[in-house]
Amino acid sequence: MDPQSSTSAARQGQAIPVTVIPGDGVGPEIVRSAMRIIEAAGVPIAWEEAEAGAEIFRRGDSSGVPQATRDSIERTRVVLKGPLETPVGFGEKSANVTLRKLFETYANVRPARELPGVPTRYSGEGVDMIIVRENIEDLYAGIEHMQTPDVGQGLKIITRKGSEKIIRYAFELARREGRSKVTCATKANIMKLTEGLFKRVFEEMAPEYPEIQAEHLIIDNVAHQMAKNPTQFDIIVTTNLNGDIISDLASGLVGGLGFASSGNYGDGIAIFEAVHGSAPKYAGKDVINPTALILSSVMMLRHLGQVEAAAAIEDAVLCTLEEGRAVTQDLARQTGGDVEHAASTTGFTDQVIANLGRHPTSVPVRVHASDLDLAPRPGWSYGPERYTAMKRDLVGVDVMIETDLPVDELGDDLGRLAGDALQLVMVESRGTKVYPSIGLATDHVRWYRGRFVAREGRTVSEGDLVGLLGRIAARHRWTEVLRLQSFDGEPAYTKAQGE
Ligand code: NAD
């Protein structure tokens, strides 16, 4: 490990280097609040202030994350960041997503725990769950293409390695935090090769953790169960988009965005931030609730091995909420309290500092381990020995076509173009077979997929695919080609509805 990294400094008792990104909108106010509290708790941190977000976009850097910031993160390997604005409507990618991807922080961890003094529909039930969301893959890979001027397509990427890393993370977290259950939430019933892969990996790994109950639920049912009976959940591990949605749902169960903390963890690197955004209408007014970022900084201190300081700050926040003397505007609004005389960001922070050393009376104690005590993670299994042994065959090809032709005409023509080695088995529209017709009323969106497979007794060569494409291109506008393969004799593609 880099001898200058934050975790090694923490081990040696030196000032711990941390990159701090104040961010946009209310970011600087909440970051200042967390920094003041950490200082008051006596944790020696050497902050390296760095920029990212709106101002960087304005200066013409389309990544939103300048090189000096990347260099600082490379050095410190730990970041506390305020929210970053994502310009809407012009080309820039989110600087948040860029940061997560640049440093491969594959685990987005969002705890949702009932807080004292923060009344919700579920108060008294003891909601206490952690959402572990895969942070890199899935539709967030952002690989999108317009197939025609009127048909957009996004690729959903799920890998065995990415799934193993996040599922391993979830089980290790359960073990380290003394939690008893991990629920895997997928849409494997519909997306059998992507969400299905995630589910299969979960089922393969679960027996390595016999003391932890492992269950799989379909993601829509998880949403339903979270609203109905949220205390049944302990840790939920899920793919990126599912996780995005249910982690906000989980925040809503325990008081909303002002209280929702998160950490983005990679191998030897971590970025801590509030779940909420830059709330621009409150920027500079000293009214925003800093709890979410303070609790994110508590996660950061645990990551740095500063377990006692983390517990002290967490207890001070819980005490402050419990006694209700400093209530921020958002909470006053939520509870029908006195918004006009609500606590400022600074006032709330002062109260948390004053409460350092006190313990809440109404919250059950939960013992947290340090991330430094994490057992080394076992290696991933998607190694060459796994896949070179597999027998792979090319068995056909799918060709996407933009056309104004009626589907029967298109189908007849593609059938004639198939050639000696291949035959057309169907034409489909958005996943439903429409040729040969099975009598369904499917909309004509001017975009179809023709599926060609090997004729009886023939093998398919690369030359067969190229020849077919040449014949199609001479008569139609093709937009994409997808190989049909089999692995160890099993089709590595799905069937269309009705095929
Ligand atoms: P937002 O979270 O900034 O604000 C939505 C509303 O939630 C606010 O108007 C406010 O009423 C409330 N709120 C949020 N945080 C609060 C807090 N700490 N205390 C009290 N009330 C709070 O969401 P938005 O308005 O959709 O996004 C604004 C900008 O933030 C956008 O540019 C967006 O891209 C960005 N954003 C960044 C992040 C991030 O950096 N991780 C996350 C979400 C949104």
Side-chain angles (χ1 to χ4, degrees):
M1 180 177 285
D2 172 6
Q4 292 186 327
S5 76
S6 302
T7 41
S8 60
R11 277 186 205 280
Q12 292 158 22
Q14 303 160 350
I16 309 163
V18 170
T19 301
V20 60
I21 301 176
D24 299 319
V26 298
E29 295 162 64
I30 56 175
V31 166
R32 199 179 318 120
S33 161
M35 288 169 73
R36 279 185 59 208
I37 295 168
I38 290 171
E39 195 176 312
V43 186
I45 293 202
W47 300 102
E48 284 192 14
E49 191 166 323
E51 295 178 302
E55 179 54 30
I56 308 305
F57 287 122
R58 267 193 287 276
R59 275 191 233 144
D61 179 338
S62 62
S63 74
V65 186
Q67 191 57 46
T69 301
R70 298 178 193 198
D71 292 344
S72 171
I73 300 172
E74 282 285 344
R75 267 194 308 276
T76 65
R77 319 288 290 169
V78 176
V79 184
L80 182 65
K81 72 171 272 292
L84 305 178
E85 257 168 43
T86 305
V88 180
F90 52 103
E92 275 86 353
K93 295 254 181 190
S94 153
N96 292 304
V97 177
T98 301
L99 266 176
R100 290 174 199 162
K101 291 197 173 193
L102 276 179
F103 296 100
E104 189 79 24
T105 54
Y106 61 88
N108 183 260
V109 178
R110 296 195 190 176
R113 184 184 182 191
E114 179 174 330
L115 295 166
V118 183
T120 70
R121 287 180 177 79
Y122 302 93
S123 287
E125 292 185 19
V127 173
D128 181 7
M129 69 178 91
I130 306 180
I131 311 293
V132 177
R133 161 189 172 192
E134 199 290 320
N135 217 13
I136 307 285
E137 306 192 336
D138 198 355
L139 290 159
Y140 279 70
I143 307 170
E144 299 193 300
H145 297 89
M146 293 307 292
Q147 290 277 316
T148 81
D150 292 330
V151 178
Q153 175 189 273
L155 296 186
K156 181 175 170 82
I157 309 294
I158 303 287
T159 70
R160 170 171 284 275
K161 184 177 180 183
S163 305
E164 279 188 5
K165 284 173 76 170
I166 192 70
I167 292 165
R168 170 86 58 210
Y169 188 94
F171 277 116
E172 291 288 335
L173 183 67
R175 191 171 261 182
R176 165 160 128 257
E177 299 266 310
R179 288 179 178 262
S180 58
K181 183 164 84 168
V182 177
T183 304
C184 174
T186 75
K187 195 73 188 170
N189 52 333
I190 303 296
M191 289 166 264
K192 296 178 195 296
L193 300 189
T194 50
E195 296 275 313
L197 175 59
F198 195 86
K199 174 175 181 278
R200 282 196 299 283
V201 171
F202 178 79
E203 286 162 352
E204 282 165 27
M205 293 176 87
E208 292 180 42
Y209 300 87
E211 78 281 20
I212 295 164
Q213 188 193 339
E215 66 173 9
H216 172 266
L217 293 181
I218 297 295
I219 183 67
D220 36 334
N221 187 27
V222 169
H224 167 232
Q225 296 291 334
M226 278 174 81
K228 229 174 97 177
N229 176 19
T231 52
Q232 69 184 285
F233 294 112
D234 203 349
I235 289 186
I236 302 179
V237 64
T238 188
T239 50
N240 204 339
L241 183 59
N242 291 337
D244 184 31
I245 298 165
I246 63 161
S247 56
D248 266 32
L249 171 47
S251 310
L253 301 176
V254 293
L257 285 175
F259 301 93
S261 55
S262 80
N264 300 281
Y265 299 83
D267 291 325
I269 195 150
I271 301 173
F272 298 88
E273 60 183 334
V275 167
H276 65 77
S278 59
K281 71 179 171 190
Y282 297 119
K285 297 193 173 145
D286 198 25
V287 295
I288 203 79
N289 180 357
T291 304
L293 194 80
I294 300 170
L295 293 179
S296 307
S297 74
V298 166
M299 295 174 78
M300 178 185 86
L301 293 178
R302 288 203 175 101
H303 177 70
L304 293 170
Q306 302 289 318
V307 185
E308 282 168 25
I313 295 175
E314 186 170 47
D315 277 357
V317 171
L318 297 175
C319 266
T320 307
L321 296 172
E322 187 176 63
E323 65 188 12
R325 274 198 277 149
V327 174
T328 47
Q329 270 191 8
D330 57 327
L331 186 52
R333 212 171 284 122
Q334 238 163 275
T335 54
D338 184 356
V339 177
E340 216 169 295
H341 297 101
S344 64
T345 310
T346 312
F348 183 87
T349 307
D350 291 341
Q351 194 60 48
V352 173
I353 291 173
N355 280 338
L356 282 168
R358 296 184 54 209
H359 304 284
T361 54
S362 63
V363 183
V365 176
R366 177 170 271 296
V367 177
H368 298 271
S370 157
D371 285 1
L372 295 185
D373 301 333
L374 250 187
R377 300 209 182 96
W380 47 287
S381 68
Y382 185 66
E385 65 287 351
R386 185 186 140 77
Y387 56 81
T388 45
M390 236 169 221
K391 183 173 171 331
R392 303 179 195 205
D393 294 303
L394 177 62
V395 296
V397 65
D398 281 346
V399 184
M400 315 297 203
I401 291 166
E402 178 182 0
T403 186
D404 282 323
L405 290 176
V407 67
D408 286 340
E409 255 178 67
L410 175 70
D412 290 348
D413 201 43
L414 293 179
R416 285 189 290 272
L417 297 172
D420 299 335
L422 293 156
Q423 59 181 326
L424 179 80
V425 287
M426 64 146 193
V427 176
E428 62 88 33
S429 169
R430 296 161 299 153
T432 302
K433 177 177 166 182
V434 290
Y435 175 94
S437 171
I438 53 171
L440 298 177
T442 308
D443 240 347
H444 188 324
V445 297
R446 302 184 60 253
W447 184 65
Y448 291 97
R449 173 168 61 127
R451 169 159 288 180
F452 299 86
V453 302
R455 287 188 190 277
E456 194 68 37
R458 293 290 303 255
T459 53
V460 184
S461 69
E462 301 292 335
D464 293 327
L465 300 196
V466 174
L468 172 70
L469 204 58
R471 292 190 295 279
I472 292 177
R475 294 175 55 80
H476 302 278
R477 189 193 294 270
W478 66 269
T479 62
E480 191 177 12
V481 178
L482 295 164
R483 296 161 69 85
L484 299 181
Q485 308 178 84
S486 71
F487 298 150
D488 281 343
E490 289 294 317
Y493 52 91
T494 53
K495 288 189 165 182
Q497 207 77 38
E499 186 181 352

